[in-house]
Amino acid sequence: MFRNTVLYRRFWYIKRQNARKISVLIKLSAIIIIFASIVSYSRKMIYPYIMEYALGSFNDLAFSAVNDAVNDLF
């Protein structure tokens, strides 16, 4: 008898709409968490190699700049 009332149907409709929103929010948060963990892992694993390459390139560039300056001076 209670199920045939307008109030019951309205509450059921609201519950159904909120369930859709919650489902979308859960999926979105799962995607964000997965993306953040991938970025964190890749930064942890790849960052040292990038820094090693960058420091090597910087040292080569600085060495060539100093050599050019010395050659121009003499």
Side-chain angles (χ1 to χ4, degrees):
M1 184 157 152
F2 179 67
R3 291 181 183 231
N4 292 331
T5 62
V6 174
L7 187 60
Y8 177 80
R9 282 185 266 147
R10 182 66 187 149
F11 283 140
W12 179 80
Y13 177 76
I14 291 171
K15 182 179 172 183
R16 195 173 98 215
Q17 292 292 0
N18 288 338
R20 288 180 188 165
K21 290 177 186 176
I22 290 172
S23 175
V24 169
L25 288 176
I26 288 173
K27 290 176 184 175
L28 184 63
S29 63
I31 290 171
I32 290 172
I33 289 171
I34 290 170
F35 180 73
S37 63
I38 289 171
V39 167
S40 173
Y41 176 76
S42 64
R43 182 174 179 195
K44 182 175 142 184
M45 298 304 287
I46 297 173
Y47 188 72
Y49 298 114
I50 293 173
M51 287 303 294
E52 183 179 331
Y53 176 75
L55 286 175
S57 297
F58 177 75
N59 287 337
D60 292 340
L61 182 66
F63 185 72
S64 66
V66 168
N67 279 339
D68 290 341
V70 169
N71 287 335
D72 289 344
L73 184 64
F74 291 112

